[in-house]
Amino acid sequence: MRATMPTTEGTVERDGASVHWEVYGEDGPTILLAPTWELVHSRNWKMQVSFLARHYRVVLFDAVGNGKSSRPADAGRYSWGNRDADAIAVLDATGTERCVVVGYSMGGELALTLAALHPERVDGVVTIGAAHEWVVPMVDRAAPVAPAPGEKPEGWAKYDPDYWRTDYRDFAEWFVAQVVSDPHSTKAWDDGVGWAMETTGDVLAALEEDYADLDLEDMERRIRSIDVPVLLLHGTDDQIVHPGSSELMHAWIPGSDLVLIEGSGHSPHTRFPVKVNHLIKGFADRVYGLRDEAATWHVGIARPKTALYLSSPIGLGHARRDIAIAGELRTLHPDLQIDWLAQDPVTRVLDAAGERIHEASAALAGESAHIESECSDHSLAVFQSLRTMDEILVHNFMVFDEVAQRGEYDLIIADESWEVDHYLHENPNLKRGALAWMTDFVGYLPIPERGAREAAVVADYNQEMITHVERYGRVRDAAVFVGSPDDIVPDRFGEGMPLIRDWTEEHFDFAGYVTGFDPAALGSREALRAELGYRDDERVCIVSVGGSGVGTDLIRRVVASYPEAKRAIPELRMIVVTGPRIDPATLPQIDGVEYRAYVDRLYRHLAACDLAIVQGGLTTTMELAACRVPFIYVPLRDHFEQNFHVRARLDRYRAGRCMQYSELSPDALASAMASLVGAPVDYRPVETDGAARAAAMIGKLL
């Protein structure tokens, strides 16, 4: 899933090649995100396009040789003259008279070339790590050493068109590692290599003669005469292009601005997207005379107490516990105003509770839809899904950042809003108001079957988080673990790293579990069943898969077992709660199986049922544990949280029976159901004061 999709897209045919373009937005000034070296394509801009498109019309295109553009065999088609002409053809095809051009690496050269050769089309230029190899050499390279017979070349000896034609993947993997040389850049490396493999070494080799059609003396004269605003960005630790390249352009172009990004490598827009996004938008705002100011400002003591609450959209359990905590906060601070920045399906729960949803919530990109797109056959490699959600997360952080900037909030409460925690640690200067961070697990864990690569990447992500917190402890003013120390898995963050429990106890306060309701307040089970329409002579089994659409496969398998279960339990009544994102009409229609698309306050039905079958998510399983109801839970395969963190906690509470998806034959499931219906439970009691304890910890910040 992408953070945003193009408003229009098309192809322009020019000089024997097809050039694919996309436009985001319809009105306002335009930003052209220029292509870079054909090693990668326009998805290189994925961390910028959705944010910029909320404020500007954005045009981008794939250079001939990669992406959705064609790959002509004629080497002469890959020239500077053609690259320049393709850009103008795209501007013409998209009806773009003038624009700000943003270019990265080789695209930075293209951006300045457009400003120099076509000043009537360019309002301003931003370059990122721009290469001007015809004037300033790339980074210093040791003299290439010829490999021994039968061995691969090493280092910059791989930068050889002949080698690209023989072992292109080896070159691509090495070169991308130099591009994304910053620590904790595993996802950027995965992306870069994947995009590189969409073209060939032959295409890149054709580009080595691409300066032949440029009059270099004339180019220098034209660049020195550029009189539109220019912003030059360059990482000081760039392993591809020496910062002197941008420093020279800064000296050549009167009035240009140079920003050296200390410690960054060649690709700051992918590794540090928030900073670069702010720089690009700020530059465009100045070019077009746009200013974004809050409509009101409160003087000191006159400010009301305000909080912005962010609740994770992946499942509905966060919403219920967050509403409970919000209620306790209002008890402590009756004058507190709370705005919610949330998305479907959380907004449905908030609406039903009468909470105020911030209008910017409509601008958030769908996290639940992304998770659903990554799931198949009751399998969800959730760690990898979070990694591939990177552009969605940065988009949603940029929305949050604007809301926090304008809202004058005293307090930000982030319940597993990973993007807020991550990017505020990356950009601590953007913190506004106190931050209360809340989670019910700490530490990614690898799935052993997924191999050594996942284990290494998981450890790298954990190390980055540890480094963030220890370097910028001031970002989290409160860190609340929803549970107790005994709920934490006994694992380490990675080889040679701290034990997860030890580190969590040092850096978190513990609220105990937050169910969002008190089972004792539900009254007698008999009265509750009567109120909900359940008869004494029936055995009610509720099947629930949460608020996302990842439970479709589990529903189908459980429903297929209904006839066998009905024979084992003659009084069985099966009610399947699909959640708001699964259409019951798409599921098997079997006599005796009832579907409900959405049930408000589902915990009441769970408390009244005789048996439940659910996924391995923490919220629903802990609600069942609190209500002392027999249940079967089926963790999603490859889902580290459900298989490790949640299971460890349920084992501590002696709650539920875990079954693997592969075990769910009709006979096995029916037998398990029959053994649990009416059986006594011996669960450890679940805390009922978690919401009040969490609110007391958070409320101190007000």
Side-chain angles (χ1 to χ4, degrees), residues 156-383:
W156 280 97
K158 297 176 189 285
Y159 198 85
D160 179 353
D162 291 335
Y163 185 60
W164 304 346
R165 294 186 175 97
T166 59
D167 197 343
Y168 177 58
R169 173 173 283 279
D170 182 61
F171 163 73
E173 291 181 352
W174 170 81
F175 188 79
V176 172
Q178 313 313 306
V179 171
V180 293
S181 58
D182 311 85
H184 311 300
S185 296
T186 58
K187 183 57 172 63
W189 184 86
D190 288 346
D191 286 341
V193 172
W195 298 332
M197 297 315 296
E198 294 183 39
T199 190
T200 67
D202 289 334
V203 167
L204 293 195
L207 291 161
E208 282 304 279
E209 303 300 325
D210 60 10
Y211 291 112
D213 59 347
L214 281 178
D215 182 334
L216 301 184
E217 291 186 1
D218 182 59
M219 275 302 302
E220 178 178 340
R221 180 184 60 79
R222 289 178 178 272
I223 288 176
R224 287 180 178 274
S225 68
I226 290 175
D227 63 356
V228 298
V230 173
L231 172 62
L232 306 152
L233 310 179
H234 214 117
T236 61
D237 199 30
D238 193 325
Q239 300 298 300
I240 301 296
V241 179
H242 194 281
S245 177
S246 292
E247 291 171 340
L248 179 62
M249 293 301 108
H250 177 49
W252 278 10
I253 302 171
S256 61
D257 292 317
L258 173 65
V259 175
L260 295 177
I261 303 177
E262 193 66 37
S264 172
H266 186 56
S267 187
H269 65 298
T270 60
R271 182 60 184 83
F272 307 108
V274 170
K275 178 62 177 176
V276 174
N277 288 352
H278 277 295
L279 287 169
I280 294 173
K281 180 180 179 292
F283 175 83
D285 288 350
R286 292 192 298 274
V287 168
Y288 293 114
L290 302 177
R291 293 200 301 174
D292 184 14
E293 295 180 351
T296 60
W297 181 76
H298 294 91
V299 175
I301 198 67
R303 289 177 58 170
K305 289 183 181 179
T306 57
L308 181 67
Y309 211 132
L310 296 90
S311 183
S312 172
I314 303 175
L316 292 176
H318 294 276
R320 284 193 289 275
R321 80 182 182 201
D322 292 335
I323 289 172
I325 292 170
E328 296 288 350
L329 279 171
R330 291 185 178 109
T331 299
L332 297 173
H333 300 275
D335 57 342
L336 177 63
Q337 299 177 16
I338 299 178
D339 289 343
W340 295 79
L341 188 63
Q343 56 186 276
D344 186 78
V346 171
T347 48
R348 305 188 194 199
V349 180
L350 296 174
D351 273 332
E355 296 287 347
R356 186 168 71 177
I357 300 170
H358 196 288
E359 61 182 8
S361 296
L364 295 171
E367 296 178 26
S368 291
H370 169 80
I371 293 295
E372 291 164 18
S373 73
E374 298 274 304
C375 184
S376 64
D377 198 24
H378 201 66
S379 176
L380 175 63
V382 70
F383 172 70

Side-chain angles (χ1 to χ4, degrees), residues 121-145:
R121 308 299 294 267
V122 177
D123 290 322
V125 172
V126 179
T127 69
I128 304 170
H132 305 284
E133 194 171 359
W134 50 277
V135 180
V136 177
M138 295 169 72
V139 291
D140 295 336
R141 316 172 195 169
V145 177

Side-chain angles (χ1 to χ4, degrees), residues 367-681:
E367 296 178 26
S368 291
H370 169 80
I371 293 295
E372 291 164 18
S373 73
E374 298 274 304
C375 184
S376 64
D377 198 24
H378 201 66
S379 176
L380 175 63
V382 70
F383 172 70
Q384 295 300 333
S385 298
L386 291 171
R387 294 181 79 226
T388 57
M389 195 161 64
D390 53 355
E391 66 179 287
I392 292 174
L393 293 178
V394 75
H395 170 93
N396 289 347
F397 177 81
M398 300 305 296
V399 174
F400 156 79
D401 182 51
E402 291 179 349
V403 171
Q405 180 182 14
R406 298 172 186 169
E408 297 183 359
Y409 293 104
D410 298 292
L411 175 62
I412 309 294
I413 308 170
D415 184 356
E416 292 191 9
S417 296
W418 304 105
E419 71 279 14
V420 170
D421 186 65
H422 175 82
Y423 285 115
L424 281 182
H425 279 94
E426 290 270 289
N427 304 271
N429 57 299
L430 296 182
K431 182 185 173 187
R432 300 177 180 89
L435 174 68
W437 168 247
M438 191 160 52
T439 183
D440 53 41
F441 81 92
V442 174
Y444 297 119
L445 294 172
I447 301 294
E449 294 78 11
R450 294 184 63 84
R453 165 68 175 170
E454 174 159 297
V457 173
V458 162
D460 183 72
Y461 271 59
N462 286 336
Q463 184 62 65
E464 181 180 38
M465 182 273 295
I466 290 172
T467 303
H468 275 164
V469 172
E470 294 183 350
R471 172 63 179 85
Y472 289 110
R474 61 184 171 84
V475 169
R476 296 177 180 176
D477 296 282
V480 179
F481 186 87
V482 182
S484 72
D486 290 337
D487 293 324
I488 301 172
V489 294
D491 304 81
R492 291 186 180 276
F493 286 108
E495 185 176 354
M497 298 169 68
L499 288 167
I500 295 175
R501 176 168 177 173
D502 290 350
W503 189 89
T504 305
E505 286 192 81
E506 181 180 352
H507 292 90
F508 280 80
D509 293 316
F510 294 84
Y513 193 70
V514 180
T515 59
F517 68 96
D518 182 357
L522 299 176
S524 72
R525 187 168 180 274
E526 294 75 15
L528 184 60
R529 283 177 68 94
E531 178 188 346
L532 298 176
Y534 301 143
R535 302 192 310 272
D536 292 337
D537 62 348
E538 61 187 5
R539 296 293 197 178
V540 178
C541 174
I542 291 182
V543 182
S544 175
V545 293
S548 70
V550 300
T552 302
D553 297 314
L554 178 59
I555 289 176
R556 291 181 180 277
R557 189 158 289 193
V558 172
V559 167
S561 302
Y562 174 77
E564 190 68 29
K566 180 71 172 176
R567 284 189 286 271
I569 311 170
E571 308 87 357
L572 179 64
R573 178 183 178 187
M574 182 175 283
I575 301 172
V576 179
V577 182
T578 64
R581 297 184 64 84
I582 302 175
D583 183 357
T586 65
L587 298 169
Q589 304 301 307
I590 296 178
D591 289 342
V593 175
E594 307 169 37
Y595 289 109
R596 304 284 187 272
Y598 174 72
V599 176
D600 185 37
R601 295 182 295 171
L602 177 62
Y603 62 85
R604 302 173 76 243
H605 296 261
L606 294 175
C609 74
D610 299 283
L611 173 69
I613 303 174
V614 298
Q615 288 184 150
L618 181 63
T619 301
T620 304
T621 56
M622 287 299 290
E623 288 175 353
L624 289 162
C627 295
R628 309 184 70 76
V629 172
F631 66 95
I632 296 168
Y633 67 99
V634 187
L636 285 161
R637 293 182 293 181
D638 294 333
H639 194 304
F640 75 88
E641 184 185 0
Q642 292 190 6
N643 282 280
F644 302 133
H645 290 282
V646 176
R647 185 165 184 177
R649 190 181 301 223
L650 292 176
D651 287 347
R652 187 175 86 83
Y653 280 89
R654 302 188 297 273
R657 176 182 296 182
C658 181
M659 294 186 72
Q660 298 302 317
Y661 185 67
S662 59
E663 300 173 351
L664 298 187
S665 67
D667 287 345
L669 185 56
S671 176
M673 292 169 64
S675 70
L676 290 176
V677 167
V681 299

Side-chain angles (χ1 to χ4, degrees), residues 32-85:
L32 171 67
L33 299 175
T36 182
W37 194 23
E38 285 76 353
L39 182 82
V40 299
H41 48 65
S42 59
R43 289 286 286 150
N44 165 70
W45 292 113
K46 69 176 184 175
M47 306 293 257
Q48 282 69 52
V49 64
S50 63
F51 166 68
L52 294 175
R54 291 184 55 237
H55 304 278
Y56 289 91
R57 179 176 178 264
V58 175
V59 175
L60 51 78
F61 67 97
D62 293 324
V64 171
N66 206 332
K68 296 181 181 179
S69 293
S70 63
R71 294 147 177 77
D74 177 14
R77 185 60 179 79
Y78 304 97
S79 67
W80 266 107
N82 276 311
R83 186 181 284 107
D84 174 81

